[in-house]
Amino acid sequence: AQSVTQLDSHVSVSEGTPVLLRCNYSSSYSPSLFWYVQHPNKGLQLLLKYTSAATLVKGINGFEAEFKKSETSFHLTKPSAHMSDAAEYFCVVSDQPGGFKTIFGAGTRLFVKA
Amino acid sequence: DSGVTQTPKHLITATGQRVTLRCSPRSGDLSVYWYQQSLDQGLQFLIQYYNGEERAKGNILERFSAQQFPDLHSELNLSSLELGDSALYFCASSVAEHSNYGYTFGSGTRLTVV
């Protein structure tokens, strides 16, 4: 069975400092992994995805994530936070084969202080 | 604009009533997914359709039903509404039947049951 755990429900950073949002996953197969962002009163937007190609994945708005199979992690990072990054972030695992399921993490709320 | 259109954006209705939420997927996408997002339950997968046929079922109540029409738009019907059904309902779409390519989300319908 697959699962995804976002290790922090809330993260607070100052503008201009690095962002780290942590995600661990569990999967019996080779998973696809995603990060989505949700701004207040908006739908979810795909930030980036890992689908068994390069382990370091670059996404939109300067975000990137590294797939580490040995640590079963897919942490999201950004070198320098911007006020507009304040939002909720969801880590998602999609398992395969034979019955694709997509499991959303509980979300991490990112606060950015001026 | 993500290309996924959901209507209405807001809906207020009384307990016991029935409502219909509508979703038009992004052009070219054949899969439609419905999600419920509430503060206490997070993002819950309800149901998926692919090219008109039901493909996967999640935590969808028997009072809820959905369908996908030949033009690929989808409707989610919620009946005998209860206060606890108040939530954001998201529709997402993808090209493929399976979910390892990522989704495009609509901006959601906020349902308030009073």
Side-chain angles (χ1 to χ4, degrees), chain B:
Chain B
D1 181 8
S2 69
V4 177
T5 304
Q6 288 189 250
T7 57
K9 291 194 183 307
H10 302 275
L11 200 48
I12 301 176
T13 190
T15 54
Q17 295 298 305
R18 173 190 167 94
V19 297
T20 297
L21 312 183
R22 183 187 168 103
C23 168
S24 293
R26 193 180 59 163
S27 178
D29 286 357
L30 298 179
S31 264
V32 169
Y33 310 80
W34 285 98
Y35 282 84
Q36 179 193 60
Q37 186 180 40
S38 60
L39 283 174
D40 53 342
Q41 300 263 7
L43 203 62
Q44 298 283 319
F45 168 65
L46 296 178
I47 197 164
Q48 177 202 356
Y49 281 83
Y50 175 77
N51 205 19
E53 294 191 6
E54 183 184 305
R55 275 293 184 261
K57 247 182 177 177
N59 300 323
I60 188 165
L61 300 172
E62 285 191 13
R63 301 183 284 110
F64 297 179
S65 65
Q67 55 184 324
Q68 186 180 28
F69 294 86
D71 67 352
L72 301 177
H73 91 271
S74 178
E75 292 181 356
L76 178 67
N77 300 297
L78 314 176
S79 60
S80 302
L81 285 167
E82 303 174 358
L83 295 177
D85 298 327
S86 296
L88 260 174
Y89 290 84
F90 285 108
C91 166
S93 71
S94 68
V95 169
E97 176 179 353
H98 301 307
S99 54
N100 61 336
Y101 294 96
Y103 300 162
T104 302
F105 278 81
S107 55
T109 293
R110 182 172 294 282
L111 173 66
T112 303
V113 182
V114 299

Side-chain angles (χ1 to χ4, degrees), chain A residues 4 9 11 19 31 33 44 58 63-64 70-71 78 86 88-89 98 100-101 105 114:
Chain A
V4 59
S9 59
V11 170
V19 175
L33 295 157
L44 282 75
K58 293 188 185 300
F63 284 94
E64 61 181 41
S70 60
E71 299 176 12
K78 182 173 180 177
E88 183 122 25
Y89 292 79
F100 286 77
K101 283 188 188 177

